[in-house]
Amino acid sequence: MSHANYLFTSESVSEGHPDKVCDQISDAILDAFIENDIKLGIADDSLVNTRLGCETLCTTNKIVIAGEGRGQAPLFIKYGNHAVINRELISQIARDVVRDIGYDQNGFSYHGADIEVLLHGQSPDIARGVDAKKKKGEEQEGAGDQGMMFGFACTESEVYEKGSFMPAPIYFAHKILKVLAEKRRSKQLFDLQPDAKSQVTVQYIDGKPVGCTKVVVSTQHNPETRNGKKYSPAMVKDLIGDAVASALPDGWMPKRSSDFLVNPTGNFVVGGPDGDCGLTGRKIIVDTYGGYAPHGGGAFSGKDPTKVDRSAAYAARYLAKNVVAAGIAERCTIQIAYAIGVADPMSLLVDMHGTGKVEEKKLERALPEIFRLTPTNIRRTLKLNRPIYRRTAAYGHFGRAPDKDGGFSWEKTDLVKDIRTAVA
């Protein structure tokens, strides 16, 4: 931001939002492909077989899964001289996701939805550009597509959660919905249903977040209470008010009741894919930085790690976060660009927004030496050949704690020492 005092708004959506249902189905299918290859011994940190570009569409009791991929039995099965997708197995993966989210409604149910599977084999023209080739004595995969990817990190959320390095608006928009989802699943807020959205407007003074001026929450709910009373927006507001406040720092909740809006349309009973069609990849700003930083335009979910839309965006976040964690800048944006089939990036840009303690050109020279930005090295170093993707498909791909099994590996800050040494 160019000025010190301003308002900034970000939104998040819950795991039950129609687009997020689709993202989770696509990523659950990707996890199944990778897990199957691991069981067969044809995938580890050095090898990769899975190729997948999986798109999902959800509407009233209908799920359509389309795209291209490469895999082994039982996901792909022999049919004559061709390998075709195992539609029953893919359909069951989708049903399991919908059931886990909590949809068993007349208009959208894990057991009642009709599922159409239109996945097919990967184009040989795409495979030719991506499959590993010998270059300077080592194998290197080409980038799975052209495009530019951005990574971002900042210090402003560190006061509230150590290690997140995220902008406050998207961080708290996610947190509100995670709290509501936890309480829905634990039956503390039994009358809530899976679909929900949040929107948080944060006030900045002297460039620092100090509180919320507006909070908007729209959440699907049962039409009536257990006592048979029809829910009004005021009743829903009373129902979730304490949970929303608990997700924010003390004193951040808007002071005026009129600045906390709940279900402003007046009713939210019909929700999920029955209320609005969902599609994979439509929540790319929710997935990243809430609009606070640039986005290259490529979605993440349903894409295997050879596709730089996903893996290079993770790598850019990894580098930006380590730069900020090293104390070299309070804010850092990194852009990387690729050409399809080419391993090395076309360009690298570092922008520390006037907060840097070293020249950006120095970092632009040092970072590719510390961490090679080829798809092969990104995949191997961040250990992306693992079934870790469905968990990323709700509540953001960034600002999460690294998991013991390698999930969210791009959130580690293990390059801090190397970066400090390189720019000393």
Side-chain angles (χ1 to χ4, degrees):
M1 300 298 127
S2 59
H3 47 295
N5 301 328
Y6 56 92
L7 303 177
F8 195 90
T9 302
S10 293
E11 70 159 352
S12 181
V13 298
S14 73
E15 65 210 58
H17 184 279
D19 294 331
K20 280 290 145 198
V21 173
C22 295
D23 283 346
Q24 289 170 89
I25 290 172
S26 293
D27 271 342
I29 293 169
L30 173 59
D31 283 347
F33 270 70
I34 294 174
E35 192 165 17
N36 189 54
D37 281 353
I38 290 172
K39 288 178 181 177
L40 295 172
I42 54 176
D44 57 29
D45 293 337
S46 60
L47 302 171
V48 63
N49 176 71
T50 291
R51 297 283 189 274
L52 191 67
C54 179
E55 313 291 343
T56 303
L57 177 147
C58 292
T59 187
T60 301
N61 272 331
K62 180 75 174 182
I63 300 172
V64 180
I65 301 166
E68 47 84 22
R70 182 176 77 187
Q72 304 296 315
L75 288 157
F76 272 88
I77 54 179
K78 283 288 186 181
Y79 183 76
N81 295 325
H82 304 284
V84 297
I85 198 73
N86 186 331
R87 288 174 171 80
E88 288 187 9
L89 187 53
I90 297 297
S91 296
Q92 189 57 52
I93 293 169
R95 292 191 194 281
D96 289 345
V97 170
V98 174
R99 179 177 57 193
D100 183 60
I101 292 169
Y103 278 117
D104 188 11
Q105 303 167 356
N106 290 334
F108 193 70
S109 168
Y110 70 91
H111 58 80
D114 176 57
I115 301 180
E116 191 170 357
V117 180
L118 303 175
L119 284 170
H120 58 79
Q122 184 181 44
S123 161
D125 293 339
I126 294 175
R128 186 181 299 114
V130 176
D131 286 341
K133 303 176 182 66
K134 286 285 186 180
K135 183 178 179 182
K136 296 180 181 179
E138 62 178 330
E139 286 195 344
Q140 288 293 340
E141 297 152 352
D145 203 351
Q146 71 175 46
M148 62 282 188
M149 300 84 212
F150 289 89
F152 178 77
C154 62
T155 58
E156 64 184 49
S157 63
E158 286 303 280
V159 176
Y160 311 107
E161 181 166 340
K162 197 74 174 172
S164 62
F165 291 99
M166 288 291 284
I170 188 66
Y171 174 80
F172 288 113
H174 286 323
K175 190 173 181 182
I176 286 170
L177 294 183
K178 283 193 281 187
V179 168
L180 291 179
E182 289 163 3
K183 291 185 180 297
R184 171 178 66 87
R185 288 177 175 276
S186 69
K187 309 299 184 184
Q188 293 180 63
L189 294 176
F190 178 84
D191 284 333
L192 297 188
Q193 292 295 316
D195 195 0
K197 299 179 75 172
S198 65
Q199 185 171 287
V200 174
T201 299
V202 173
Q203 182 179 21
Y204 287 77
I205 296 178
D206 294 330
K208 305 294 182 184
V210 297
C212 295
T213 62
K214 304 280 185 181
V215 173
V216 183
V217 178
S218 295
T219 181
Q220 185 188 12
H221 57 84
N222 292 333
E224 296 179 346
T225 69
R226 297 183 204 184
N227 297 327
K229 288 187 176 181
K230 186 176 179 180
Y231 265 112
S232 66
M235 293 167 65
V236 178
K237 187 174 185 177
D238 288 340
L239 180 71
I240 68 170
D242 289 344
V244 172
S246 74
L248 299 172
D250 289 343
W252 273 47
M253 197 69 177
K255 301 296 187 292
R256 296 185 303 178
S257 177
S258 58
D259 291 332
F260 174 38
L261 287 76
V262 175
N263 289 359
T265 66
N267 202 41
F268 193 179
V269 172
V270 179
D274 186 32
D276 192 11
C277 182
L279 190 65
T280 297
R282 274 205 303 213
K283 287 293 176 284
I284 59 176
I285 300 302
V286 170
D287 284 343
T288 53
Y289 309 104
Y292 204 88
H295 193 296
F300 300 158
S301 291
K303 296 178 180 178
D304 73 79
T306 68
K307 294 173 174 58
V308 286
D309 275 344
R310 180 171 219 158
S311 57
Y314 290 170
R317 161 67 176 178
Y318 181 50
L319 292 179
K321 183 172 182 178
N322 275 270
V323 167
V324 175
I328 292 170
E330 292 183 10
R331 299 173 64 214
C332 181
T333 299
I334 291 178
Q335 187 207 49
I336 315 169
Y338 290 86
I340 188 169
V342 180
D344 292 309
M346 301 290 100
S347 66
L348 170 69
L349 171 73
V350 177
D351 183 357
M352 294 184 282
H353 308 279
T355 69
K357 297 179 181 179
V358 301
E359 290 185 0
E360 281 134 340
K361 291 293 183 185
K362 195 170 186 178
L363 272 174
E364 289 170 2
R365 291 190 297 268
L367 292 178
E369 294 180 5
I370 295 168
F371 182 80
R372 291 191 64 194
L373 289 165
T374 63
T376 300
N377 187 63
I378 293 170
R379 178 177 57 77
R380 289 176 178 174
T381 304
L382 296 181
K383 302 184 184 302
L384 299 180
N385 264 16
R386 302 184 183 190
I388 57 173
Y389 294 103
R390 186 195 156 186
R391 71 191 74 169
T392 69
Y395 310 116
H397 293 244
F398 307 128
R400 315 277 288 269
D403 293 327
K404 291 182 179 179
D405 65 353
F408 300 102
S409 59
W410 50 93
E411 292 296 311
K412 295 185 296 183
T413 53
D414 53 353
L415 297 182
V416 164
K417 184 177 178 180
D418 291 340
I419 291 173
R420 286 174 177 166
T421 300
V423 300

